[in-house]
Amino acid sequence: MTTILNQLYQRRAQARVGGGEARISKQHKQQKYTARERLLILLDPETFEEWDTFVVHNCHDFDMMEEQIPGDGVVTGHGKINGQKVCVFAQDFTVLGGSLSETHARKICKVMDTAMRIGVPVIGLNDSGGARIQEGVSSLAGYAEVFQRNALASGVIPQISLIMGPCAGGAVYSPAITDFSFMVEGSAYMFVTGPNVAKTVTHEEVTAEELGGAAVHASKSGVVAKKYVDEVAMLLDVRRLMKFLPANNKIPRLSRVHPQQPMQPGHDDNGLRPALENILPQDSNTPYNMQHVIDNVIDDRDFFALHHDFAANIITGFARLKGRPIGIVANQPLHLAGCLDIDASTKAARFVRFCDCFNIPILTLVDVPGFMPGTTQEHGGIIRHGAKLLYAFAEATVPKVTLIVRKAYGGAYDVMASKHLRGDVNYAWPAAEIAVMGAKGAVEIIFRNHSKDHQATKEAEYTQRFANPFVAAEKGFIDDVIAPHNTRNRLACAFDLVAEKDLRNPWKKHDNMPL
């Protein structure tokens, strides 16, 4: 038995050094951790259980049998984050550049199948040179097997991708299907075709960082939800994100006792927030920071923002309200006056659908003067993309509470979780303006053939009549006009009220939202 055990220990030790000390040293010199080091940071101490440690590839071409390294370039298994079970895989760049082979893909598929079967999140750490060229189409088939599982797992278990090195070609599509992707600045990049191909085909001179670095995808493409200065910051922040997410789509949204989505103490006093009385400027056209409203409503100012650098005219993220996990969608007047444009609509729509998939209640904070005008938006498809957000809110069956903070004009009023899109509880602050458009624009259309003095008189009349929340309240479109300082209490009460709502959409194979 001693001999056999020694053989086991030797084999395990060999697997744990991956591609060898020299390649590990090179990885460290690039300010990158190894696959196993990353998992030790991500997971709770002493909870990682590795699977398929001794798996090797079965490729006989190009002398590959001489490069059989246990694990075959990916570390897989399961562990816990904040006590919650998760399945994980981490590509090991020290082994053949982390390239994906048929057996490498099979290992990933195995943990994904397990995650689906037991109902826990799956987190993938991507650091790979791409398809293993020596295996040809078998490697491509491996990618497709992973993609298929990503699609089937979508909306069933949370899927998170961490881009910690190269991620190119077909490899980018798995992170694109997952719920949230994160990137490290400087050492990670994503693109379908690299700089060399771009130079050959389009004659563009571009670096990997300029083409698909973290800054590009966090601010321009919107592919990743966040970028980080280093790997440790990313791994620790993902641990924080997991505190807001349920294990799967069957976890009750309101469970006060379930260990995988606990209701936590709100660390509250009486819930009153006098600071909210002074956030709105006197002039309704003056911008302010909607984040200040959020911070004064949620627990401990603990807000996990997503896509902060992309489509900054709308805010999305997770928080807790008196212990309850919620998703927040809010217009941001500091950027484009809070208008809805193509990017903002797409960003918010995907977030709303994620929350609806996993029974996370949605709080919508509204200050929107309308959709962004202009040929760029119209030719880019603002109608189709704006419809995505409308569709997402209309389809969602989770508890939806809406607060109109200031402006809610035109079709954008409808889109932002209005009562007409099955908003459960809809509030407004006293300074809210709910109308087809602003008073000046309305008067210039209605009284376009009248004098400026007459228009000025009518503008004041229009403001008095429509630039307030009471017309909508009279019609029952607003459930109540609330005092700003009591917003936190009223919102928490609203979520308590609708916590156990039972709303179901008509049966369908799947919807056909305007993609």
Side-chain angles (χ1 to χ4, degrees), residues 356-492:
D356 193 45
C357 284
F358 293 102
N359 298 314
I360 301 172
I362 301 170
L363 170 62
T364 306
L365 301 175
V366 184
D367 188 349
V368 60
F371 284 90
M372 179 65 67
T375 56
T376 299
Q377 291 292 308
E378 293 294 350
H379 296 176
I382 184 62
I383 296 173
R384 174 167 49 88
H385 292 289
K388 292 177 183 178
L389 181 55
L390 185 158
Y391 195 103
F393 272 126
E395 180 190 42
T397 60
V398 292
K400 294 183 288 189
V401 176
T402 302
L403 170 65
I404 299 176
V405 175
R406 189 168 65 173
K407 295 178 181 177
Y409 287 168
Y413 154 72
D414 287 322
V415 169
M416 292 296 292
S418 63
K419 179 66 72 175
H420 325 288
L421 299 185
R422 303 190 299 189
D424 294 301
V425 179
N426 293 63
Y427 290 140
W429 278 0
E433 303 174 12
I434 306 170
V436 175
M437 61 177 63
K440 182 175 176 61
V443 167
E444 287 177 350
I445 293 173
I446 299 171
F447 300 101
R448 56 184 174 275
N449 296 324
H450 292 70
S451 67
K452 294 295 182 182
D453 290 342
H454 185 73
Q455 287 182 358
T457 301
K458 290 299 181 180
E459 183 176 339
E461 182 180 325
Y462 187 96
T463 300
Q464 178 68 25
R465 179 73 181 95
F466 293 109
N468 62 68
F470 297 105
V471 173
E474 289 168 5
K475 297 179 180 296
F477 301 156
I478 296 296
D479 295 304
D480 199 5
V481 180
I482 65 175
H485 72 271
N486 201 29
T487 298
R488 176 172 159 84
N489 286 334
R490 296 300 299 273
L491 293 178

Side-chain angles (χ1 to χ4, degrees), residues 97-220:
S99 58
L100 185 136
S101 69
E102 182 181 9
T103 52
H104 179 127
R106 192 180 300 129
K107 287 182 64 175
I108 294 174
C109 291
K110 184 175 181 177
V111 293
M112 294 180 73
D113 290 342
T114 301
M116 282 279 283
R117 190 163 57 250
I118 64 177
V120 301
V122 63
I123 303 175
L125 283 62
N126 295 265
D127 187 1
S128 169
R132 191 168 299 170
I133 299 172
Q134 296 91 331
E135 294 200 15
V137 72
S138 294
S139 176
L140 301 181
Y143 273 126
E145 292 286 350
V146 174
F147 302 158
Q148 179 64 64
R149 284 161 176 80
N150 287 136
L152 294 178
S154 181
V156 179
I157 55 173
Q159 300 180 83
I160 298 172
S161 296
L162 310 185
I163 315 303
M164 312 188 81
C167 185
V172 301
Y173 290 113
S174 177
I177 299 173
T178 60
D179 298 304
F180 304 114
S181 295
F182 306 102
M183 286 185 77
V184 178
E185 295 181 279
S187 60
Y189 53 82
M190 297 176 73
F191 37 65
V192 176
T193 54
N196 292 335
V197 176
K199 182 178 180 179
T200 301
V201 177
T202 67
H203 307 293
E204 292 178 278
E205 294 278 357
V206 63
T207 66
E209 187 68 25
E210 293 168 339
L211 183 62
V216 169
H217 288 308
S219 62
K220 294 183 179 181

